Amino acid sequence: MGGGARSGGLRTLVRLERRHVRANARFLLFAAGTDIDEERDLLDRAYQLYLLIFVAVSLALSFAQVLDLAGQLREGLGVTVSSQMAHLVLVLAPTAGLVAWGVSDLRETPLRLAAPDITWLARVVRPEELFVVRLLRDLPVIALVSAFGGALLGEIASAHLGLWAAMCAALMLAARLFALDTALPRSVAEPRRRRAATVVAYVIVAASGLALLLAAAPLAALLPRALSLGVYSVVVVLLVDLLLLGMAGNKSCYADMAFVIDDNELYAARRSMRFLALADSNAYKEACRRRRAQRHRRPRRTWRFRPGRLAPVSHALASLARRPSALLGLFSVGGLLVPMGALVMTLRPGAGVTLCWLVCACLSLREPLELGHVFREDCRNRLVRSLLPFGRLELLVLDALPALVVTLAASGAVSGVAAAAVGADPAAVVLLCCALDVLLALSCGLDDPAAPVRLGSVLVTGFAFSVLTLVVVGLASLLGTAPALACAALLVVLLARALR
């Protein structure tokens, strides 16, 4: 009877998950002018099949174009440098995944339930059934995306694409399962020991990520030997995955369902608003922030700001402490976008690769930069802004100083390690990163509504100027690293004078 009940609960969860997938597909296909539930005749089904084929062919052609760009990058960098870079990324990608998944699973239980699931299923399903359904939903997606990324790295390294795809997928699955093994004890622990279990799990995640980051270069040097074993190396990693999977499954059996339901409150609210992110990402982020604030209703600490010019700096520090999620935006700019651009400008793999980076940078800059968040909030508050004894440039520098320090530290660490790994000049790459970070921070000063900057009838915004500066510095980098650095420094000086 117990086994039949458990299998019945598992079948119920699988059917419910299938209905969730169908509902999501119906919403997305509705934007293309079709409804998979209402339109079921032959012509409608033919049109829906045509849409699926069109999307599949588009994705295949896009991936083929990305592989071609990877080949151009390999030719520009040389086989040796591109191979070293690919091996380094194959080590860093699971490291980043482990830390990201670990933090996410520790902030909210990995046993996820939507709002209807909490209402109707919380008392009839077991935690291990939730765990199985979660794995059936997430692991294939992780493996597929990782396989495509591994094939791309294999093209850069001029190696067997299938082997690299399988190895990358196996390593990413290992990182995901290790994060689950680390986070699940939080859901299993007794209430009085839960905080201690959470702290221990955070320490394990941080220590593992730091250890892998410090050992990235030696591990990247050992990867060619491991990959030379062919499919046997992938089998070894898959055996480790099975061991981690068994450990996670065993821990999930003892999860506290009362805690799982309570900890799913934010996830359920966020899932109910997930399609709002497609229409208005800023409204979605603000709604999520408000939900988090409502959940953690407790008296805020009263911050005593320092006098004089230290007042805006202490205000910015308080804002950063109260919004730890802002660090993700700072790290994405300082640890990914800017170092990648500096490496591309220093190594000069070709105009095509530089153009691809510029396109990615412009797309990522559509959202307001976290570097200027405090400055924009101060400018919006007209009563406070009129009383501040600071000019625009001075206020921008003081408000953005804590965020800029975090961004510069991330850029310096990542760019220095990456430059040493690919054989570039670390000093030139780090200096170029710092110049680009300062440029992006100063461009936020153009978003002051009280003092708009115009060139004739054209309003110059922070987004427009940041895109323009990246394009100009990128074009200058085609002449060499020194011209790019000189161009970035000149733009810093000109923008600072314009903001005075």
Side-chain angles (χ1 to χ4, degrees):
M1 289 294 291
R6 286 193 292 270
S7 62
L10 186 59
R11 285 197 298 268
T12 301
L13 282 173
V14 172
R15 287 199 301 269
L16 183 62
E17 192 64 35
R18 189 170 65 244
R19 291 178 67 88
H20 286 328
V21 173
R22 184 179 182 86
N24 294 338
R26 183 185 183 188
F27 179 87
L28 295 175
L29 287 174
F30 184 77
T34 184
D35 190 319
I36 58 176
D37 289 339
E38 300 294 336
E39 301 172 356
R40 299 185 177 185
D41 57 21
L42 182 60
L43 290 178
D44 292 328
R45 291 305 190 196
Y47 176 65
Q48 294 161 12
L49 180 61
Y50 160 75
L51 288 177
L52 294 177
I53 294 175
F54 177 79
V55 171
V57 172
S58 299
L59 291 176
L61 293 177
S62 299
F63 186 69
Q65 180 64 28
V66 172
L67 287 179
D68 182 67
L69 291 174
Q72 295 181 22
L73 177 64
R74 182 185 65 244
E75 294 175 359
L77 297 177
V79 177
T80 303
V81 174
S82 60
S83 179
Q84 292 175 350
M85 185 175 66
H87 287 94
L88 182 64
V89 173
L90 190 58
V91 174
L92 293 178
T95 303
L98 187 154
V99 174
W101 283 318
V103 172
S104 175
D105 290 341
L106 288 171
R107 292 182 65 186
E108 298 175 2
T109 177
L111 304 175
R112 302 292 171 88
L113 284 168
D117 304 341
I118 294 175
T119 303
W120 299 105
L121 296 178
R123 296 183 179 181
V124 299
V125 298
R126 299 172 62 85
E128 62 267 26
E129 295 170 345
L130 290 177
F131 179 74
V132 171
V133 173
R134 170 88 190 240
L135 291 184
L136 291 176
R137 181 182 61 191
D138 291 352
L139 293 190
V141 176
I142 295 173
L144 182 61
V145 175
S146 303
F148 282 124
L152 180 62
L153 293 177
E155 180 67 23
I156 295 176
S158 186
H160 192 277
L161 301 188
L163 178 61
W164 275 71
M167 177 59 77
C168 186
L171 289 175
M172 294 302 290
L173 289 177
R176 180 69 189 106
L177 293 171
F178 182 83
L180 284 174
D181 281 324
T182 306
L184 279 173
R186 175 174 175 266
S187 301
V188 175
E190 298 177 1
R192 60 182 181 180
R193 299 179 179 177
R194 187 161 291 131
R195 178 169 294 182
T198 304
V199 172
V200 171
Y202 268 116
V203 171
I204 293 175
V205 170
S208 302
L210 182 61
L212 288 174
L213 182 62
L214 295 177
L219 290 175
L222 292 176
L223 267 180
R225 293 184 180 180
L227 291 173
S228 64
L229 300 176
V231 70
Y232 298 105
S233 58
V234 179
V235 171
V236 171
V237 180
L238 288 177
L239 291 176
V240 175
D241 292 347
L242 289 176
L243 177 62
L244 294 174
L245 178 60
M247 294 170 59
N250 181 60
K251 292 176 182 177
S252 68
C253 298
Y254 304 100
D256 183 359
M257 282 300 295
F259 171 75
V260 169
I261 294 170
D262 180 69
D263 209 39
N264 266 284
E265 179 184 349
L266 291 179
Y267 171 76
R270 193 169 63 247
R271 181 179 172 85
S272 64
M273 300 182 295
R274 64 192 183 280
F275 291 123
L276 177 62
L278 301 177
D280 191 342
S281 59
N282 290 328
Y284 173 76
K285 293 177 182 178
E286 180 63 20
C288 293
R289 187 191 67 80
R290 290 181 181 274
R291 292 291 301 189
R292 286 194 297 268
Q294 291 175 3
R295 178 174 174 81
H296 302 286
R297 286 184 177 177
R298 53 190 177 188
R300 281 190 170 185
R301 174 186 173 185
T302 300
W303 294 83
R304 296 182 179 180
F305 299 143
R306 306 292 296 176
R309 286 184 171 83
L310 292 179
V313 178
S314 57
H315 174 219
L317 281 173
S319 177
L320 195 60
R322 287 172 174 170
R323 298 185 312 112
S325 59
L327 292 174
L328 182 61
L330 298 178
F331 287 143
S332 65
V333 173
L336 182 62
L337 178 66
V338 171
M340 186 183 301
L343 284 174
V344 169
M345 295 178 188
T346 303
L347 298 173
R348 286 179 293 167
V353 178
T354 303
L355 179 61
C356 288
W357 173 79
L358 288 174
V359 171
C360 295
C362 295
L363 291 176
S364 63
L365 291 176
R366 290 182 301 173
E367 298 292 333
L369 287 172
E370 284 291 343
L371 283 166
H373 172 78
V374 179
F375 175 76
R376 287 191 297 269
E377 293 299 318
D378 285 344
C379 291
R380 290 194 185 103
N381 194 335
R382 297 181 180 180
L383 294 177
V384 174
R385 180 66 185 96
S386 61
L387 299 176
L388 293 177
F390 306 112
R392 178 169 53 173
L393 178 61
E394 187 177 10
L395 180 63
L396 172 64
V397 172
L398 296 175
D399 280 344
L401 186 59
L404 183 59
V405 169
V406 173
T407 307
L408 289 173
S411 294
V414 174
S415 61
V417 173
V422 300
D425 184 9
V429 176
V430 171
L431 287 176
L432 189 54
C433 281
C434 294
L436 292 176
D437 286 333
V438 174
L439 263 178
L440 293 177
L442 290 178
S443 67
C444 297
L446 298 172
D447 292 329
D448 185 359
V453 177
R454 295 183 180 273
L455 291 177
S457 60
V458 179
L459 177 65
V460 181
T461 62
F463 168 73
F465 188 82
S466 58
V467 169
L468 178 63
T469 55
L470 291 182
V471 171
V472 172
V473 176
L475 293 176
S477 69
L478 298 177
L479 303 177
T481 306
L485 189 57
C487 179
L490 179 61
L491 288 173
V492 167
V493 174
L494 294 176
L495 182 55
R497 289 181 60 86
L499 293 176
R500 292 182 59 181

